[in-house]
Amino acid sequence: MKITAIKGINDILPDEVGKWQWVESVARRIFANFGFREIRIPILEKTELFARSIGESTDIVEKEMYTFPDRNRQLLTLRPEATASVVRAFVQHQLHLQPAMRKFYTIGPMFRHERPQKGRYRQFHQINVEAFIDDPMIDAEVIYLLLVFLQELNIPDIDLHINSMGCVDCRQPFRIALSEYLAGVSERLCQDCQRRRLTNPLRIFDCKVESCRQLMRDAPVLLDHLCDDCRSNFASVKGHLKSLGVIFTINPHMVRGLDYYTRTTFEALTPHLGAQNAVGGGGRYDGLMKILGGPDLSGTGFAIGMERLLLLLAGKAGGQQHPIRLFVASLGAEAQSRGFQLVQELRFRNLLVEMDYESRSLKAQLRRADKLGATHVIIMGENELAKGVALLREMEVGSQEEVPLDGIVEKLLQKFDLVM
Ligand code: ATP
Ligand code: MG
């Protein structure tokens, strides 16, 4: 029986990989310009890391994590997001003792058990940025970086939404106001939200059920209940964004899917992907590092979904495979063996060269050379070998010249400008 990949977990075939590499290289270049350094974190972590940081009553932790016991019955989870791991690594390696270690990025696969559809998969990839600096300027910088990156990729029509989630001080009084409102409409909430109303009412803003969304349009919002500190902090963030020429919409209903956010949150939205309208999102998280046993350092960051980026890039530029320059066609066992050696040596010397391994006719080999885009072909048969030469054919004009086998590597490297 044929074994296929798991639903929602996709292969990325060679023809697409060029685009992935291109997007990643743009990310690496721009993030480096902004002072971010790459960190690579594990794909597998202890389950409690995510349960504690993302929040027990979030969709991710309640329904979407791939969790299983290992052979020692330790519960492990395939990471659903990167922030928790970056913070864990920062704490574990005491990076706060190194002042130059404050800004990080990481790129890689994430896993969430969601209903697969266009732009939503069970294994997907994120580009993630985190900065551990406590200032509204950093919030603005990170948002600006997100927009610069999307602009560099020519992603059209991005709409930036921002909000403030306040802090522990303003959330408590707000929770009371929200709970009062929710008590009045409780029988019209979906089953999940009836439960959330008592455990974590803020989560109801993130419910995807249309009737809940409608009810929440009239709900009180945190933005109207910010304490003085949070209000002035939000004003600073907006001020810095304006100073950078960033255009944004304030969206008081946006809460994001993770519990650890405080103060600034944001999302980059697109009108071109239907329901999967978030290209990236993030925000500030003030208490997370302390919760994970580290110093009380604030963080702010974002995650961009690679697959959604690539859907938006469809048909646009992106790293073609380098075309083969030379093809070695050989006829007969001896010539084939000589050709095989020649090919490996030229590759070792940085020439992109290909050959035929299946003893096909010369005509078939030339056709293949043409398909691969080779500009030149070396032809070797028994007659040529006996004379100590090979034929060098220029594909475009169809002209051929004899080249002595003695010194052929140097001659070819010279021809392709690969000699130092
Ligand atoms: P959504 O509201 O679309 O579920 P989210 O708020 O759960 O998104 P985040 O946790 O903020 O997403 O992750 C950041 C980005 O990662 C999203 O903006 C999106 O581009 C991408 N992303 C999230 N979940 C998926 C998924 N299942 N498949 C593909 N991309 C995803
Ligand atoms: Mg989600």
Side-chain angles (χ1 to χ4, degrees):
M1 200 175 67
K2 206 162 55 179
I3 298 175
T4 56
I6 300 164
K7 193 171 163 219
I9 298 192
N10 301 315
D11 299 307
I12 302 163
L13 299 178
D15 276 347
E16 303 162 59
V17 166
K19 269 191 188 175
W20 285 73
Q21 290 176 337
W22 177 65
V23 169
E24 288 162 6
S25 73
V26 172
R28 289 197 158 84
R29 173 166 56 79
I30 292 180
F31 296 172
N33 286 348
F34 279 73
F36 287 78
R37 299 181 65 190
E38 183 168 2
I39 181 169
R40 299 194 184 190
I41 45 176
I43 285 169
L44 208 50
E45 296 268 11
K46 293 177 189 162
T47 301
E48 59 185 295
L49 173 67
F50 303 115
R52 242 201 276 169
S53 54
I54 298 170
E56 297 278 4
S57 52
T58 57
D59 274 358
I60 295 182
V61 172
E62 272 186 346
K63 316 182 202 165
E64 298 174 358
M65 294 205 308
Y66 282 90
T67 296
F68 54 90
D70 75 357
R71 287 173 190 278
N72 303 321
R73 301 202 183 156
Q74 159 108 267
L75 272 189
L76 303 180
T77 293
L78 286 172
R79 64 181 187 194
E81 60 112 42
T83 304
S85 301
V86 175
V87 174
R88 189 223 11 93
F90 186 90
V91 172
Q92 185 171 339
H93 301 284
Q94 298 198 295
L95 298 184
H96 67 284
L97 300 177
Q98 301 179 47
M101 293 279 196
R102 288 293 179 272
K103 294 156 104 180
F104 305 90
Y105 73 88
T106 192
I107 302 176
M110 306 295 157
F111 303 83
R112 296 184 193 175
H113 196 276
E114 302 193 68
R115 193 167 69 79
Q117 53 200 292
K118 187 177 164 202
R120 193 175 295 285
Y121 312 98
R122 291 181 172 173
Q123 173 177 319
F124 60 100
H125 297 74
Q126 283 186 343
I127 302 180
N128 224 91
V129 156
E130 315 291 344
F132 302 116
I133 299 168
D134 185 9
D135 194 281
M137 238 188 292
I138 275 291
D139 295 15
E141 180 175 303
V142 160
I143 292 171
Y144 184 65
L145 171 59
L146 171 63
L147 296 178
V148 166
F149 175 61
L150 295 175
Q151 198 176 340
E152 190 72 16
L153 297 177
N154 278 318
I155 305 286
D157 308 322
I158 286 293
D159 204 3
L160 174 71
H161 282 199
I162 65 169
N163 189 20
S164 174
M165 301 293 299
C167 63
V168 275
D169 287 344
C170 31
R171 266 197 228 182
Q172 207 43 43
F174 170 67
R175 215 179 136 137
I176 295 167
L178 180 61
S179 294
E180 267 168 27
Y181 172 79
L182 291 172
V185 297
S186 83
E187 69 283 6
R188 284 147 72 199
L189 294 169
C190 76
Q191 288 244 306
D192 278 345
C193 286
Q194 306 228 352
R195 187 170 37 79
R196 289 179 183 128
R197 184 171 77 82
L198 305 169
T199 53
N200 193 347
L202 256 179
R203 288 263 63 88
I204 300 180
F205 281 106
D206 206 30
C207 182
K208 304 280 191 281
V209 177
E210 189 48 42
S211 52
C212 292
R213 292 187 141 196
Q214 255 174 30
L215 284 176
M216 293 317 277
R217 268 178 218 142
D218 299 323
V221 292
L222 194 44
L223 203 59
D224 295 333
H225 290 75
L226 294 183
C227 65
D228 289 347
D229 273 359
C230 286
R231 199 170 318 124
S232 80
N233 193 284
F234 194 48
S236 300
V237 174
K238 288 186 286 184
H240 292 310
L241 285 175
K242 280 184 189 145
S243 79
L244 298 173
V246 171
I247 296 165
F248 52 82
T249 305
I250 294 172
N251 178 355
H253 289 93
M254 181 182 72
V255 296
R256 315 268 308 117
L258 305 94
D259 274 351
Y260 53 62
Y261 287 114
T262 53
R263 296 193 167 169
T264 316
T265 51
F266 53 92
E267 265 177 9
L269 304 173
T270 172
H272 303 300
L273 292 180
Q276 276 58 255
N277 67 342
V279 182
R284 165 161 292 277
Y285 42 93
D286 282 331
L288 183 59
M289 196 176 291
K290 199 160 173 220
I291 290 176
L292 294 179
D296 194 5
L297 210 56
S298 299
T300 186
F302 64 71
I304 300 174
M306 272 290 259
E307 283 80 0
R308 292 187 195 176
L309 267 190
L310 289 157
L311 283 169
L312 292 170
L313 279 174
K316 282 202 198 147
Q320 288 292 308
Q321 158 113 28
H322 293 296
I324 295 296
R325 303 181 74 184
L326 179 71
F327 190 91
V328 174
S330 50
L331 293 159
E334 205 187 327
Q336 202 182 31
S337 156
R338 186 72 184 77
F340 178 65
Q341 283 168 31
L342 178 63
V343 164
Q344 308 310 336
E345 188 166 353
L346 288 168
R347 286 175 176 162
F348 176 67
R349 307 286 289 273
N350 290 321
L351 188 63
L352 272 152
V353 40
E354 194 47 274
M355 65 175 283
D356 171 63
Y357 301 88
E358 286 140 295
S359 316
R360 272 182 281 213
S361 70
L362 179 61
K363 205 169 147 200
Q365 294 192 49
L366 288 178
R367 214 179 302 128
R368 174 119 197 278
D370 196 43
K371 235 186 202 147
L372 290 171
T375 56
H376 293 76
V377 178
I378 284 284
I379 302 169
M380 273 196 277
E382 275 157 30
N383 291 345
E384 285 76 24
L385 276 194
K387 273 171 73 183
V389 298
L391 297 175
L392 177 61
R393 182 185 175 95
E394 210 171 308
M395 291 296 273
E396 197 149 304
V397 276
S399 64
Q400 284 179 187
E401 58 167 317
E402 279 189 357
V403 186
L405 284 176
D406 203 19
I408 191 171
V409 169
E410 292 309 320
K411 161 121 194 181
L412 287 170
L413 292 176
Q414 238 161 30
K415 178 150 203 93
F416 291 103
D417 287 328
L418 286 168
V419 174
M420 296 293 141

